[in-house]
Structure formats: C-alpha cells, structure tokens
C-alpha cells in the first residue's frame, strides 16, 4: 500500500515543535479556532531590523481552522450525516452476510442523499443506471444554463436571442432532451421554413433510447435499440437533411457522438468530465463502471489538449474512476477545505473491510485519524461540538484522550452549556473533567456573588476546600444581614453537607434556626450546644452561637439543664480567656455588653435549674 503523509494527530504535546530542516519552531495555541506560528529568534532582532522587515524580524503567521462549519448549508450536512454515522456504528455487530452488505449499500445511499439535498440547497438538481447518475452529477455541477434559460425565455423573441442556440446545445450536451425540444419548437414557430427539419430532429431526439429508472430491459436490448437509432441519425446527416441549418446539423452530429462536434462546444461544457459524460451518452450509453477509467483518461486528454495541466479535482476524479480509494482519500485530504468527506468515506470503506491493512506510522489506523481530525474541527463551533463527541466515542485508540482535551477547552459561556458538558463527562466517567467544569462554574458564580449556585457547583465538584470557602461567605453574610440566602439549597444539603466541616456546620446551624422557628426549643438547644462542643464551628462564630442561646435562656420554661448550662459557661470563658479576645472585649462596648448579658442569663438559668432540681429531689 502507498504511504500517506498527513498532518500528525493532535495528542498531548509540548507547546512548541521543532521541524527538521527549518530554523524556526512552531508554537501551537491548540485547539482554538486559530493557530499561531512564530519565529523564536524574533526577540533577538533589533528595533531597526524589526521596523525594516529585515531577516530576523518578528513574523507571526495565523493559520485558520475549518471555516466551512459556519456555512449554513454545510451545517445541515454535518448534522444529517452524524445520524447516518451513528447508525452505522450501532449496527456493526447486528447484521452479517447478505444483510450486512445490503445495509452498507443503504448507508452509502443515505450519505449520497444527504449530499444531494445540500447541493440542491445551493443549486437546483435519479439514481439508476450508471449513465443516469453521471448525467445527474453533471447537471448539479454545471448550473450556468439555468440563468441562460431565464434570460432567453424572458426576452420578447426567444428564438432570436443571441444565447438561444447556446441554451439548446447545453440541454443536448446534458441529455435534457425534453427541454431542448421545447426550445426548438419556438424556433420552428418563428421560422416556418425550418419546420420540416425541426420535425425530423425532434423525432430523433424523442426516440433516443435512454436507460431509465424501473426499466427492466437488459443492456443488450438497450444496445440494439441505440444502434438502430444511431443508424437513423447517421442516414439523415448523410442525406444532408440539416445542411441548410448549421445549428441543427451540429446537434445531429452531437447525437451521433462526433467528438469534434462535441469539442466545438467546449466553452459550454467548461470541464473535461462534462465532456466525458456527453461522450458516453452519445457513444457508449451502456458503459460499465470498470470501463470508466479508460474513457476518463482519454476524455481529459482530448479536452485539455495539452493547453493546461490537470487541477487537483481532476486528479481526485481520475483516482475515483480507477477505484483507487486510498489515492482518493489522500488527494481529498490535501485539497478539500474540511475533513467531512474523507472521514465519512473512510469510515464506510472500513466497515466494508476495504481498509483493514492500511495503518499509519503513528499507531492509529486511517479511519480513526480522519475521524479525529473531523471531530476536532467540529469542536471549534459553538454548537456542532456536540456532534464531535460521538465521533470521538467511536475512535477506540485515541478518541478518549482527544475528547478529554477538547472538553476541558470548551468555553462555558452559560450555565446551560456547562450542564451539557457536565452531562457528557459524567456519562463517560471523565471525573477530572467533571471536577474542572464544576470548579470553573463555581468560581464564576462566586465572582458574581451567587453563593447558592457557587455552593451547588462546589458540591458537584466534591471540592472540600472550595465548599469551606463558600460556607464561610454564607456565615459572613448571615452575620452582616441577620438571615440566610438560598434557604432551599441549605435546607436540602442532605449527605452533601459532610463534604467539609464548615459545610456541615452551615447545614446544622440552619437546622437550629428551623427548630427554633418551629418552637422545638429543647431540640434546638441540644443542637446548639453540640455545634459548640464538637468544635466544628469557627471560633469567630462562637459569640454568635452564644448570643443565639440568650432567647432560650430567657424562656419561661427551663430549656438548658445544669450540665448544659455549665458547658455554655465554659465556652463563654474559653472565648474570653485569650489575651487577644480579652483585649477585644474590653475595647468593644457592644461585645462587653453581650458578655455581661450572657453571664447574667447563664447565672439566672443555673439558679432556676438548681431550684427546680432541688424541689424535684425534695419532693
């Protein structure tokens, strides 16, 4: 097999690449829509050199990625073909034998149907025998005739229009006999003297044998009919029936497959493959696929005539006519502006077991390499990237690595998009990417002071440190405002609150407020004391917790027992015992007042408890 040279696959690599034989490195900013290449020696150039553009000056080359994905019609092509591709991958193990072959043929037809629909969107366009497909192909690619037809028919006297015979000739060259006959009828009406010639030519064009859809006649029968018709055309030409009308005589010669007559219309055909199809139509209508290569080469030589060299598209077509699939793929990879065609063609051929032996030097087979490149291009589009995910899924060797790298680089512009990315990563157990997305969204929410959203994302990321940071923000906001925001989230933390001690404290502290609001004072008191003695509350929040105990201490009904009261006293003394805290309380009148009120309330509660407990014991 021939060796193919493609761009190397994009796998984890250093930021710059040294290319043998070049004096500069390539710096890649991957996989953004643009790639930059710079000369690393540019920094050593003097200002004078740089200003004058001398050797060594700074030069940056911008290499743009596929722009085709932003064309509306091609976006339709990408979306439609994605469904066909996925269906082919799913059915690979389901069918075998004849059923499998029929299914692969159907997939090929589905791809062609999608291409046809997109081409009809761009221009205006029947599967059947080979010749019909070739004629249909030419009509799609040579569409100048339609504008000429409109111009001719919109004129006052179409048969006198300067483009009239050009349009008739193009219709004949493309095998569009009914349309050619319709135009010729206008000539006959305008010039009664040519009526007899018109009727004969019209009858020849009408009787021309053509392969058709659903026709059960054999190729031999078609060949015999065509031979009789061809002899009839020859007889009228030799009799000089059309001698007085050069245009009709030229058309008759074309019907006979006269190569010189056809080549006289070279400017109307514009391409050698149009000439090929016209030549086959009027000289070899029963051509078989394997014979195309011979007619194609001679048609290209006759048409170009040594005046110009073949274009890249010409080489692709020649390779296709010769059934050299690897050459087709190679040429298309070089010439075409995106990877859609080669990726899907190679995948289909691979499923047909026609590319099994063709592996590339860097370890992946050709199918996977081309699918990776196509999917990478899709990821540079704001919505088509979702299609690229499925293509990566069906690349067993490098697909997972590519997908992980691309998912990390998707701009998370909205929360909805972030959730899409997250769902894709979670479905594929891409835990590192899940954490990355959640952290990014948590930071965005925190910068916008959306604490509830930030906490939710940090919990999904299982990031204990970040959850602690946001919990502190919630507690700080509570101290400043006297109430919690995002109560629904905090009330429904569930097991998630165990992610960090601070988050646990936040959830339990909110539960204390709920119990207090429901007048379940005994449960609220036990929970408050637990929060202090378990040392999960931040020290800076102890005074707030002790202050929350004041309304419970002042209730008519005794809430705290003697032992619980002693615990609260110890916590208060621990809080005020430190030198720093002691100085703070001495300097702050409000804090001093709080401490005195707490001590008074605790002492009064202790006295009430002792009296009550002594009364109970005495009775």
């Amino acid at each position: 097999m021939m060796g193919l040279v493609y761009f190397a696959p994009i796998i984890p690599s250093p930021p710059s690449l040294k290319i043998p034989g070049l004096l500069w490195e390539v710096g890649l900013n991957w996989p953004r829509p643009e790639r930059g290449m710079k000369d690393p020696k540019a920094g050593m150039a003097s200002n004078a050199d740089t200003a004058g553009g001398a050797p060594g000056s700074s030069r940056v080359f911008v290499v743009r990625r596929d722009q085709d994905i932003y064309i509306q019609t091609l976006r339709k092509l990408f979306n439609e073909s994605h469904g066909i591709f996925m269906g082919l991958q799913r059915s690979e193990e389901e069918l075998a034998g004849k059923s499998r072959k029929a299914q692969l043929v159907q997939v090929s037809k589905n791809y062609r149907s999608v291409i046809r629909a997109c081409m009809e969107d761009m221009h205006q366009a029947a599967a059947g025998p080979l010749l019909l497909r070739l004629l249909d192909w030419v009509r799609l690619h040579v569409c100048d005739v339609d504008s000429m037809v409109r111009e001719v028919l919109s004129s006052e006297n179409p048969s006198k229009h300067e483009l009239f015979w050009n349009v008739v000739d193009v219709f004949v060259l493309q095998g569009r006999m009914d349309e050619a006959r319709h135009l010729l009828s206008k000539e006959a009406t305008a010039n009664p003297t040519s009526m007899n010639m018109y009727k004969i030519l019209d009858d020849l064009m009408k009787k021309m044998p053509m392969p058709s859809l659903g026709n059960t006649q054999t190729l031999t029968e078609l060949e015999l009919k065509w031979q009789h018709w061809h002899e009839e055309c020859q007889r009228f030409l030799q009799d000089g029936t059309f001698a007085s009308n050069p245009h009709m005589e030229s058309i008759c010669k074309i019907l006979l497959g006269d190569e010189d007559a056809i080549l006289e219309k070279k400017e109307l055909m514009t391409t050698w493959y149009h000439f090929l199809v016209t030549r086959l139509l009027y000289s070899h209508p029963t051509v078989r696929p394997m014979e195309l290569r011979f007619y194609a080469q001679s048609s290209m030589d006759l048409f170009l005539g040594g005046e110009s060299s073949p274009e890249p598209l010409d080489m692709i077509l020649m390779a296709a006519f010769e059934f050299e699939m690897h050459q087709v793929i190679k040429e298309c990879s070089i010439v075409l502006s995106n990877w859609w065609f080669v990726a899907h063609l190679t995948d289909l051929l691979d499923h047909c077991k026609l590319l099994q032996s063709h592996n590339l030097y860097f370890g992946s087979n050709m199918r996977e390499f081309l699918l990776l490149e196509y999917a990478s291009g899709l990821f540079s589009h704001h919505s088509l990237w979702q299609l690229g995910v499925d293509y990566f899924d069906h690349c067993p060797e490098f697909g997972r690595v590519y997908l992980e790298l691309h998912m990390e680089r998707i701009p998370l512009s909205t929360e909805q998009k972030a959730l899409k990315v997250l769902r894709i990563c979670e479905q594929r157990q891409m835990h590192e990417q899940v954490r990355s997305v959640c952290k990014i969204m948590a930071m965005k929410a925190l910068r916008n002071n959306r604490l509830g959203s930030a906490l939710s994302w940090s919990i999904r990321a299982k990031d204990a440190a970040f959850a602690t940071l946001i919990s502190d923000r919630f507690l700080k906001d509570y101290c400043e405002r006297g109430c919690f925001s995002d109560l629904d989230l905090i009330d429904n933390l569930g097991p998630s609150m165990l992610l960090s001690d601070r988050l646990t404290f936040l959830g339990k502290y909110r539960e204390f407020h709920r119990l207090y609001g429901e007048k379940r004072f005994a449960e609220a008191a036990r929970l408050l004391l637990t929060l202090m003695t378990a040392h999960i509350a931040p020290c800076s929040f102890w005074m707030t917790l002790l202050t929350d105990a004041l309304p419970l201490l002042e209730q008519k009904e005794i809430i705290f027992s003697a032992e619980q009261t002693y615990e609260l006293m110890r916590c208060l003394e621990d809080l005020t015992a430190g030198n720093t805290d002691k100085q703070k309380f001495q300097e702050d009148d409000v804090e001093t007042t709080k401490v005195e009120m707490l001590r008074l309330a605790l002492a009064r509660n202790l006295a009430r408890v002792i009296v009550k407990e002594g009364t109970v014991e005495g009775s």
Side-chain angles (χ1 to χ4, degrees), residues 151-164 183 186-191:
E151 185 178 343
V152 169
L153 293 180
S154 62
S155 64
E156 294 182 6
N157 192 347
S159 64
K160 300 299 181 183
H161 194 282
E162 61 179 352
L163 296 178
F164 175 80
L183 275 181
K186 296 186 179 297
E187 165 67 11
T189 303
N191 299 297

Side-chain angles (χ1 to χ4, degrees), residues 97-154:
K98 292 184 178 179
S99 298
R100 177 63 174 166
K101 181 179 179 181
Q103 191 249 356
L104 290 170
V105 172
Q106 186 58 48
V107 169
S108 178
K109 290 181 178 179
N110 291 342
Y111 277 132
R112 296 205 305 270
S113 297
V114 171
I115 296 172
R116 175 185 300 278
C118 291
M119 292 184 70
E120 287 176 350
D121 282 350
M122 293 185 286
H123 307 305
Q124 280 296 325
L130 176 60
L131 188 58
L132 286 182
R133 299 179 191 178
L134 291 172
L135 286 170
D136 205 31
W137 172 55
V138 165
R139 290 166 189 167
L140 279 172
H141 283 79
V142 183
C143 47
D144 294 342
V145 65
D146 296 321
S147 59
M148 285 196 295
V149 170
R150 286 191 294 270
E151 185 178 343
V152 169
L153 293 180
S154 62

